[in-house]
Amino acid sequence: MELKNFRFDIDSDGIATISWDMPGKSMNVIDLSVMDELEKIVEAISSDQTITSAIVTSGKQAFSGGADLKMLESLNSSFQTELKEKGQQAAIEKLFADASRLGDIYRRLETCGKPIVAAINGTAVGGAFELVLACHHRIVVDDENIKLGLPEVRVGLMPGAGGTQRVARMANPQDALQMLLKGQQLSPSRAKAMKLVDEIVPLDGLLASAKKWLADSPRSVQPWDEDGFRLPGGKVYSAQGANVFPAANAIYRRETYDNYPGARSIMSAVFEGLQLPFDTALRVEARYFTHVLQTKEAAAMIRSLFISMQELNKLARRPSDVPADPIRKIAIIGAGFMGAGIAGVSARAGIEVVLLDRDRESADKGKASVEAGYAHQVSRKRMSEAEKDAALLKIATGADYAALAGVDLVIEAVFEDRGVKEQIIERAETVLEPGTIFGSNTSTLPITSLASTSKRPKDFIGIHFFSPVDRMMLVEIIKGKKTGERALARALDFVRAIRKTPIVVNDSRGFYTSRVVETYISEGHRMLGEGIPAAMIENVGRMAGMPVGPLALNDEVAIDLSLKIMRATRADLGADSVPDDQFRLIEQMVEKHGRLGRKNGKGFYDYPDRAGAKKTLWPGLAQLVQLVSDADAIDVETLKQRFLVIQALETARCFQESVLTDVREADVGSILGFGFAPFTGGTLSFIDFMGADKFVALARRLAKAHGARFKPNRLLTQMAKNNESFYGRFSPPEAEKTA
Amino acid sequence: MPEAFIYDHVRSPRGRGKKDGALHEVSTVKLAAHVLEAVRDRNDLDTALVDDVVLGCVDPVGEAGGDIARSAVFTAGYPNSVPGIHVNRYCASGLDAVNLAHAAVASGQHDLMIAGGVESMSRVGIGSAGNAWAMDPVVALPGYFMPQGVSADLIATKYGFSRSDVDAYAVESQTRAAHAWSEGYFANSVVPVRDINGITILDHDEHMRPDTNMQKLGALNASFTLYGEMGGFDAVAIQAHPEIEAVDHIHHAGNSSGIVDGAAAVLIGSKKAGKKAGLKPRAKIKAFSNIGSEPALHLTGPVDVTEKLFKRTGMSFADIDLVEINEAFASVVLRYIQAFDLDPAIVNVNGGAIAMGHPLGATGAMILGTVIDELERRDLNRALVTLCIGAGMGTATIVERV
């Protein structure tokens, strides 16, 4: 048998060992050639009389990362072609056949009549985890870093090769649904507790354990193919089932706001599948999978959250002519919350860190908070004690700027105040060696003007981290007017080293992310001024897909800061730029009622002192505005549109002004930076998937009803006229795509 | 078009819907047969004249399964020529059975019918029949499924009723029911259930707690907090009604309808059929309506259906003397009173399901009978009867004396 992606050996006992090992790749993935070969292998196992049983394993460090999402994306695009050429019926039937294929192969393996054992030597996720679920016995290596699971839902998809059906027949239904809906990736011990794997053994005993199982207690029929099989959670329509599914549907809605067709289809596939014989259940799963593949949510999420994100992580935007040179040592000035956060992620990535503050005591306090953060990670089993100790050893503390000599990169993370920052820049530059890059962590101060303090503006760059640093995956790199290519390349190298996702933007007030998110907060203020109940503003913000309501978000960034920004905006752009009712509302909040936000426990919400108590909306809000008398008369859909459209419009403006230059960065940055409705694929995909013409028409409607801020800009009206999309007009260069 | 008249109505007493309830030993079919027998015996009715028996039943499984109306016909000893049909519109089934029978007679298809309902909640538990609305994502998600209690709490939150409002209403229901019983207002329609030897099994509504007060109710914990918070249903409520920050859980066993066993039957026929059977008409159905309403609120259908009914008939509450709205939960009644700015003194004048219980399939026919009795007692003319219904529906009927 001619195989490229697998080694296939039969030993003297007739045990076939299938070792998945794709040439020229560090990770096994499922593509068309893998499916072709798997089909041949399954055929051989079932028909070759000399084969008694089989072991499925991998020749790589990981078992496999599952389906190549580009292949799934191509399924959708070939569906679109087919649709045009052969019509809807033929196209959908072809897609259904394609989408069913992997599951069919696994089912043939599962029912070939010979015992198959999976020897899982490393991480197995997605379609690869579905392969091992189709084996009759699963043995996994004892290594808690191994991940097992079905993360498809995170890119808008669902498991499509039997995953929903097998997991829900092995684990209890609550655990199964939670795992599938969240796309959880399990450690071996958790997977075993859920009964998704059978044995955990040391790496060197893996194949021996597989052979031992084949010798001692082989089984060639899955439990669900045996007579008298009972579901772990009992029948669906039963008292037991009634304890599961009604709440599961409610919790699904609570967690997703019903915005994700992939998740919704998982719910239905499990619910319907559990009432059916296994082969029929697989067919039902495939029907839903076929449906999900056609949704714009899946297309948008695969593109932004997988393909674009991967490209940005591989530094698609790095100037290629700057030679690679790893970041070995950095210095951080300012050991406060942000500085300590940056120190923590850097040291964990193996980078030497010098953490400076005005005195050693302050710097040590910063390091102590890093240690506390690590300890929390250890307690959650996301870090080992040894890793923690090693990372802490990488962090030196002090107050002496002499320590800046010999570092590759300096990041200042001091108080957001121009004067303070300018002093630091001046002091640091007396010590910096040539070639050291100076990065300023700021979310509001324009980089070009900060750089004007610097004697070396070519080496000066903005590096905007998000809070909390260890959890937020985005870093916004801001180029000042004079920032050099080398500074950009080094800053990107640093972001890659700490395993975060960079976007590169040009200087502007608020750059990209802060500028756009400000429009979301401001829209919340306006709704409040219109008399929309605060709870509705907040709930609808989340229903639109945002992670928090605009008022809660404002409490986080501080309301007095918003007032400051409004005053500055009015000073710069005239009194009309902020409507009176909105301005007065915020002014009263801050100056009359002392409501500054989270920081003083009094914002749009009251923050109880009691630990664990939930924040509640400040009842006084109702006295500041004339509430709309009938809440049922408010059109919730329009509120949702306002929240998303205003952010998409601001992004389009950023694009027209060249603050943003890459559509992928706009989308990925919006999701990772401020949680813009992930199911849309990001701010620009939101426009593209709606269609520029429809978007422009909607924006004009909103402008008419709610004000000029909704007027589409020139770029958008042009695109609408020419029937263009952002990804069409500003298609990311292919060369960069594969970088 | 022939007119349809109500000639008589009877109901069983309501037994506590638990294993220790008096009617627990009485099967669903015997309970249904009991009211069929009572209608026959007290009217000396030639049952061969009955064209059909329509019975509401919400959990028609097991002993209540198949066609409970046809089963009851055999047990009651009606002739084989009398067919039966079971209908289900959740809590309004008993009233819808009456409406459908009325329609069959008024359209001239049938001459004489018995309509009513039965539910033995102690024997066939609530929800036993299963329900895709609660379970299946393709129904539960577009249908915003919520347990009724959480919806009742949502109604209270949305329309501003506090714990003391709903508790006070519950106390009033108990007081009015106790008064009605002690004055004998129900004596003519409640037919005691007896065993095979004629020994009385139950002759009164067993669920009532006439000695309850605000203090006693105040000591009860809200019943639906866990469903709301852990079960995710508060989130469903809020996504359907996003102006609400948090659902205030205030309903409990004391201000919700009681789970009970019971049956009711109403004798309906044309003028000619009544004459032929030697019956005197007591009332007639003026009009009825059905509607679907917002499903997360679940229980506000009575408001919507009343508006629809008035719009169609050109009537208003100025034309209505008494109102019976099923006391599924206190907030349902309070919202109804609030929506139409009604005088509480004309609403549920003899108490309701909070005091006496709500045998799901039978209640609609029971409260229709209750209000006919009360119209006669007070010598008033017209009443409106309505019930909130699972999955967001409402049924309303206007009945008037003849």
Side-chain angles (χ1 to χ4, degrees):
Chain A
M1 190 164 40
E2 189 88 7
L3 296 171
K4 178 169 67 102
N5 299 304
F6 296 88
R7 286 197 308 275
F8 186 82
D9 306 302
I10 306 169
D11 72 6
S12 53
D13 297 328
I15 300 173
T17 301
I18 297 114
S19 182
W20 191 352
D21 199 352
M22 297 173 84
K25 291 201 173 193
S26 57
M27 173 74 92
N28 291 323
V29 294
I30 300 168
D31 59 18
L32 290 173
S33 74
V34 166
M35 281 206 264
D36 290 343
E37 293 186 2
L38 272 174
E39 205 153 34
K40 278 195 213 167
I41 290 166
V42 171
E43 175 58 27
I45 295 172
S46 69
S47 61
D48 186 338
Q49 302 288 326
T50 64
I51 297 174
T52 57
S53 55
I55 300 170
V56 180
T57 188
S58 145
K60 307 283 190 211
Q61 196 192 351
F63 183 86
S64 160
D68 179 357
L69 286 179
K70 287 193 175 167
M71 174 185 75
L72 290 180
E73 204 198 23
S74 76
L75 271 186
N76 190 313
S77 53
S78 72
F79 167 70
Q80 300 299 341
T81 320
E82 197 95 354
L83 203 59
K84 280 186 203 117
E85 288 169 4
K86 296 186 182 153
Q88 181 153 10
Q89 193 68 23
I92 288 184
E93 276 171 18
K94 165 100 172 33
L95 184 65
F96 180 52
D98 289 346
S100 306
R101 186 172 170 217
L102 190 62
D104 288 346
I105 296 170
Y106 292 170
R107 182 61 176 156
R108 289 206 290 280
L109 178 71
E110 182 175 70
T111 56
C112 73
K114 296 172 185 175
I116 314 291
V117 54
I120 309 163
N121 54 302
T123 289
V125 293
F129 190 59
E130 293 180 295
L131 169 60
V132 306
L133 291 175
C135 297
H136 302 106
H137 192 72
R138 282 155 294 280
I139 306 172
V140 63
V141 166
D142 184 9
D143 173 357
E144 288 295 281
N145 291 320
I146 287 177
K147 293 190 172 94
L148 305 169
L150 299 166
E152 288 87 342
V153 74
R154 296 186 184 186
V155 287
L157 290 171
M158 64 175 281
T164 65
Q165 300 309 309
R166 291 189 180 91
V167 168
R169 281 167 175 77
M170 297 161 92
N172 78 55
Q174 280 100 338
D175 288 348
L177 282 171
Q178 181 170 325
M179 174 197 166
L180 293 166
L181 284 175
K182 291 193 171 167
Q184 281 173 344
Q185 307 196 25
L186 312 171
S187 65
S189 57
R190 176 71 189 137
K192 183 151 188 275
M194 279 177 69
K195 302 196 163 75
L196 298 177
V197 299
D198 304 292
E199 292 181 55
I200 299 175
V201 303
L203 178 61
D204 55 12
L206 182 64
L207 289 179
S209 300
K211 288 188 175 168
K212 186 169 179 341
W213 181 79
L214 288 174
D216 294 353
S217 52
R219 204 179 54 230
S220 60
V221 178
Q222 295 280 35
W224 42 87
D225 286 323
E226 283 174 337
D227 285 342
F229 170 69
R230 286 185 178 191
L231 294 169
K235 284 186 175 176
V236 169
Y237 278 104
S238 69
Q240 268 178 295
N243 282 330
V244 174
F245 290 99
N249 289 326
I251 289 165
Y252 153 82
R253 186 186 284 283
R254 183 178 73 194
E255 302 300 320
T256 68
Y257 294 87
D258 203 18
N259 283 326
Y260 296 84
R264 189 173 186 161
S265 292
I266 287 171
M267 294 294 297
S268 275
V270 169
F271 180 82
E272 293 173 27
L274 288 182
Q275 300 174 65
L276 295 168
F278 200 72
D279 285 299
T280 318
L282 289 177
R283 190 162 66 230
V284 166
E285 182 196 74
R287 291 189 199 285
Y288 279 109
F289 181 55
T290 304
H291 160 73
V292 170
L293 280 175
Q294 299 168 62
T295 60
K296 64 179 182 188
E297 288 83 356
M301 287 175 79
I302 291 173
R303 184 169 73 187
S304 293
L305 291 173
F306 182 78
I307 295 169
S308 294
M309 202 158 97
Q310 210 171 50
E311 286 163 2
L312 297 180
N313 287 344
K314 287 182 185 166
L315 307 191
R317 292 292 310 284
R318 188 184 188 279
S320 50
D321 47 354
V322 179
D325 184 13
I327 300 281
R328 292 177 191 87
K329 187 172 180 183
I330 66 167
I332 296 164
I333 305 174
F337 188 64
M338 289 306 285
I342 300 166
V345 296
S346 303
R348 208 181 162 178
I351 296 170
E352 296 281 338
V353 177
V354 182
L355 185 57
L356 298 180
D357 210 312
R358 61 179 173 276
D359 48 46
R360 176 173 288 275
E361 204 190 355
S362 305
D364 284 344
K365 228 173 114 189
K367 186 173 175 182
S369 80
V370 174
E371 186 168 3
Y374 286 167
H376 180 70
Q377 296 289 322
V378 171
S379 75
R380 304 293 298 268
K381 293 193 172 163
R382 295 200 191 109
M383 193 178 193
S384 71
E385 199 68 43
E387 283 168 330
K388 174 185 146 200
D389 294 344
L392 282 173
L393 280 177
K394 298 265 180 204
I395 303 176
T397 55
D400 187 354
Y401 277 43
L404 298 181
V407 303
D408 299 308
L409 170 70
V410 177
I411 299 173
E412 69 75 14
V414 298
F415 185 61
E416 195 83 335
D417 179 279
R418 173 182 295 276
V420 177
K421 287 200 192 271
E422 280 173 357
Q423 267 179 20
I424 299 269
I425 295 164
E426 203 173 312
R427 244 183 96 191
E429 286 190 351
T430 60
V431 195
L432 290 190
E433 287 174 3
T436 299
I437 308 298
F438 190 97
S440 182
N441 175 57
T442 171
S443 59
T444 52
L445 302 174
I447 293 301
T448 304
S449 75
L450 272 185
S452 67
T453 326
S454 170
K455 294 192 185 72
R456 29 198 287 171
K458 264 177 74 174
D459 293 337
F460 196 96
I461 195 162
I463 306 179
H464 174 204
F465 279 87
F466 293 77
S467 177
V469 176
D470 61 332
R471 296 233 317 271
M472 297 296 283
M473 293 314 292
L474 190 74
V475 178
E476 187 176 26
I477 303 276
I478 304 106
K479 287 199 292 184
K481 262 212 178 79
K482 293 184 181 160
T483 301
E485 294 288 88
R486 194 173 159 278
L488 173 61
R490 300 295 280 152
L492 286 168
D493 290 343
F494 170 64
V495 176
R496 182 172 195 176
I498 58 171
R499 291 180 216 106
K500 294 202 181 289
T501 301
I503 60 170
V504 180
V505 306
N506 288 312
D507 204 8
S508 122
R509 194 192 203 127
F511 319 130
Y512 165 47
T513 55
S514 303
R515 179 172 156 181
V516 172
V517 87
E518 187 55 44
T519 65
Y520 174 57
I521 292 174
S522 176
E523 204 56 30
H525 293 162
R526 301 221 183 193
M527 290 178 187
L528 203 56
E530 292 163 23
I532 313 278
M536 183 179 265
I537 296 170
E538 295 293 88
N539 286 324
V540 174
R542 288 186 294 261
M543 286 159 71
M546 300 300 293
V548 291
L551 306 178
L553 186 59
N554 199 175
D555 277 359
E556 295 296 326
V557 300
I559 306 173
D560 51 337
L561 185 67
S562 292
L563 183 62
K564 223 163 103 184
I565 293 172
M566 280 182 191
R567 286 202 165 118
T569 310
R570 280 190 151 192
D572 292 354
L573 306 170
D576 294 349
S577 57
V578 182
D580 275 345
D581 56 350
Q582 182 189 355
F583 183 79
R584 267 201 308 273
L585 182 73
I586 300 307
E587 194 180 44
Q588 274 188 32
M589 286 283 291
V590 174
E591 289 176 355
K592 188 162 164 210
H593 301 283
R595 308 214 56 104
L596 308 183
R598 177 91 185 229
K599 62 183 177 186
N600 73 340
K602 295 195 288 187
F604 289 103
Y605 287 83
D606 285 324
Y607 295 84
D609 294 330
R610 210 155 32 88
K614 275 173 75 175
K615 63 179 190 278
T616 50
L617 280 161
W618 178 45
L621 275 177
Q623 269 79 62
L624 295 187
V625 290
Q626 180 73 40
L627 278 179
V628 173
S629 60
D630 179 10
D632 288 341
I634 300 166
D635 181 12
V636 168
E637 284 310 310
T638 301
L639 300 185
K640 282 193 202 172
Q641 285 171 339
R642 285 171 62 180
F643 280 139
L644 298 189
V645 168
I646 198 73
Q647 296 180 72
L649 278 169
E650 195 64 19
T651 305
R653 287 173 196 133
C654 286
F655 220 87
Q656 185 179 309
E657 294 162 24
S658 294
V659 174
L660 282 165
T661 55
D662 187 308
V663 288
R664 297 170 298 184
E665 293 181 320
D667 275 343
V668 172
S670 70
I671 298 175
L672 296 190
F674 48 97
F676 184 83
F679 61 90
T680 63
T683 43
L684 293 186
S685 283
F686 174 67
I687 298 174
D688 272 8
F689 279 93
M690 187 185 294
D693 52 344
K694 285 208 182 79
F695 181 84
V696 163
L698 172 60
R700 284 188 175 137
R701 258 200 324 279
L702 290 173
K704 212 166 164 190
H706 301 285
R709 67 189 180 282
F710 283 103
K711 265 171 68 179
N713 62 358
R714 200 182 59 247
L715 175 62
L716 277 168
T717 50
Q718 257 178 26
M719 283 172 51
K721 211 169 86 191
N722 303 336
N723 202 15
E724 285 175 307
S725 67
F726 277 99
Y727 279 72
R729 179 162 169 160
F730 304 103
S731 171
E734 279 303 313
E736 282 187 20
K737 258 189 160 180
T738 51
Chain B
M1 201 168 67
E3 279 187 299
F5 296 92
I6 293 171
Y7 289 100
D8 197 17
H9 68 88
V10 298
R11 74 164 171 100
S12 72
R14 293 176 244 196
R16 219 175 19 250
K18 291 184 175 166
K19 283 192 165 55
D20 63 355
L23 296 181
H24 183 60
E25 65 178 80
V26 182
S27 70
T28 306
V29 69
K30 280 189 183 170
L31 207 51
H34 166 67
V35 289
L36 295 186
E37 289 162 15
V39 167
R40 176 192 61 206
D41 296 346
R42 62 195 248 157
N43 291 296
D44 201 13
L45 182 70
D46 175 3
T47 49
L49 297 174
V50 176
D51 291 305
D52 203 358
V53 175
V54 190
L55 291 185
C57 182
V58 176
D59 281 294
V61 291
E63 66 181 31
D67 177 350
I68 184 68
R70 179 64 170 163
S71 297
V73 159
F74 290 130
T75 306
Y78 280 35
N80 289 343
S81 61
V82 181
I85 181 173
H86 150 244
V87 297
N88 187 2
R89 201 196 299 276
Y90 299 109
C91 302
S93 300
L95 185 61
D96 275 298
V98 170
N99 291 340
L100 293 172
H102 162 85
V105 172
S107 68
Q109 306 308 306
H110 287 325
D111 299 316
L112 194 64
M113 296 182 68
I114 294 174
V118 62
E119 207 80 42
S120 179
M121 299 179 76
S122 74
R123 296 173 64 93
V124 183
I126 184 168
S128 295
N131 193 336
W133 179 48
M135 301 278 289
D136 189 333
V138 304
V139 191
L141 295 173
Y144 282 81
F145 169 77
M146 302 223 292
Q148 299 199 339
V150 182
S151 291
D153 290 337
L154 170 62
I155 291 169
T157 308
K158 184 173 172 98
Y159 297 106
F161 304 115
S162 66
R163 171 75 186 252
S164 66
D165 293 337
V166 288
D167 283 356
Y169 181 82
V171 172
E172 182 65 16
S173 175
Q174 296 283 1
T175 308
R176 290 183 181 187
H179 177 76
W181 265 102
S182 70
E183 298 296 314
Y185 298 167
F186 302 133
N188 187 42
S189 55
V190 175
V191 181
V193 176
R194 300 182 202 283
D195 75 358
I196 194 167
N197 308 296
I199 300 168
T200 299
I201 296 176
L202 185 69
D203 62 3
H204 63 280
D205 291 333
E206 202 181 17
H207 180 271
M208 297 203 301
R209 289 174 185 271
D211 60 341
T212 206
N213 56 37
M214 290 296 282
Q215 208 176 356
K216 283 182 184 169
L217 292 184
L220 297 174
N221 286 326
S223 300
F224 304 99
T225 314
L226 203 64
Y227 282 104
E229 289 173 2
M230 307 288 287
F233 293 107
D234 283 355
V236 178
I238 286 167
Q239 288 183 38
H241 297 272
E243 78 275 18
I244 286 168
E245 186 181 11
V247 178
D248 188 12
H249 293 288
I250 58 172
H251 285 91
H252 49 75
N255 54 33
S256 310
S257 54
I259 290 175
V260 293
D261 303 335
V266 181
L267 181 60
I268 297 166
S270 65
K271 198 167 206 166
K272 215 172 82 186
K275 204 170 260 176
K276 193 167 167 192
L279 301 167
K280 193 171 156 272
R282 293 176 62 186
K284 70 177 179 188
I285 287 170
K286 183 86 183 156
F288 68 85
S289 270
N290 303 98
I291 203 165
S293 61
E294 202 285 305
L297 284 173
H298 200 150
L299 308 169
T300 50
V303 175
D304 304 64
V305 77
T306 300
E307 284 167 352
K308 182 178 176 183
L309 183 58
F310 282 159
K311 194 170 173 201
R312 191 162 57 75
T313 57
M315 296 170 82
S316 72
F317 275 109
D319 305 305
I320 303 296
D321 301 311
L322 295 174
V323 176
E324 278 288 318
I325 168 167
N326 185 36
E327 293 174 352
F329 297 88
S331 66
V332 172
V333 183
L334 293 176
R335 168 58 191 155
Y336 192 80
I337 290 171
Q338 177 192 60
F340 298 110
D341 197 16
L342 296 178
D343 176 1
I346 67 158
V347 179
N348 298 349
V349 296
N350 291 330
I354 290 173
M356 293 175 283
H358 174 22
L360 308 179
T363 305
M366 281 188 180
I367 63 175
L368 177 85
T370 301
V371 86
I372 291 172
D373 289 348
E374 191 64 12
L375 286 174
E376 288 171 348
R377 195 184 71 78
R378 297 188 182 202
D379 196 18
L380 294 170
N381 185 37
R382 208 178 281 130
L384 187 145
V385 181
T386 184
L387 298 94
C388 56
I389 305 174
M393 292 186 282
T395 295
T397 300
I398 293 172
V399 62
E400 66 183 26
R401 287 172 64 207
V402 292

